[in-house]
Amino acid sequence: MHGSGTGNDTGPNGGSGADQEFREFLALERELAVFLRRARASSGEMAREVHPGLEPSAYGLLVRLEECGAQRATDLAGYFGVGKATMSRQLRALDELGLVTREPDPADGRAWLVRLTDEGLTRFRAVRKARRERYVRKLAGWDRGEVAELARLLHQLNARSEEG
């Protein structure tokens, strides 16, 4: 039964009728908030494992560069949804730590590509391996099919989020 639309209707748990109607989405919101909070903390830990001076937000840049190879800074900024100035600052910090380097873009001599250095790749892969081992331990009681399904659903959520 739907409420009167006044916003004062309450469900059996004290939530509004509308809240009860969308309880699956409220549960999703709650669980994603917890997941994201833990993921941010984990990214900070992993960033420090790569290099003590690495900002937590820069860890994602290393992931992207390892997965996709050399990229233009503007493409990285677009992918992460940040401004050029923010991306330049993060890349400069990674460069100063010796984790990335810039090279001329062979397709456009005016542009530069950013890539992981050998040191950056070695450090990143060691941390990623340790992270994967933590996931294996945390999800040891899960069926491999459940892990695959979770990955598929998260991929689907991420892909739809990119669409806008």
Side-chain angles (χ1 to χ4, degrees), residues 116-157:
L116 289 171
T117 61
D118 290 342
E119 175 73 12
L121 187 58
T122 298
R123 287 175 175 251
F124 171 76
R125 285 184 174 165
V127 171
R128 185 175 235 185
K129 182 178 183 231
R131 180 184 207 186
R132 186 173 44 246
E133 289 169 359
R134 283 193 293 263
Y135 281 142
V136 169
R137 281 192 308 273
K138 284 183 179 184
L139 301 176
W142 287 38
D143 176 89
R144 286 279 177 113
E146 291 173 323
V147 175
E149 180 66 2
L150 177 60
R152 186 190 70 74
L153 290 169
L154 288 171
H155 173 76
Q156 185 175 333
L157 178 64

Side-chain angles (χ1 to χ4, degrees), residues 3 6 44 53 57 59 61 70 80 83 92 94 113 151 163:
T6 63
S57 60
Y59 184 82
L61 284 169
F80 287 104
R92 188 169 38 257
L94 289 170
L113 295 175
E163 294 171 1

Side-chain angles (χ1 to χ4, degrees), residues 59-75:
Y59 184 82
L61 284 169
L62 301 179
V63 172
R64 183 71 176 172
L65 290 169
E66 198 272 341
E67 288 178 349
C68 298
Q71 303 271 301
R72 288 185 182 187
T74 54
D75 293 336

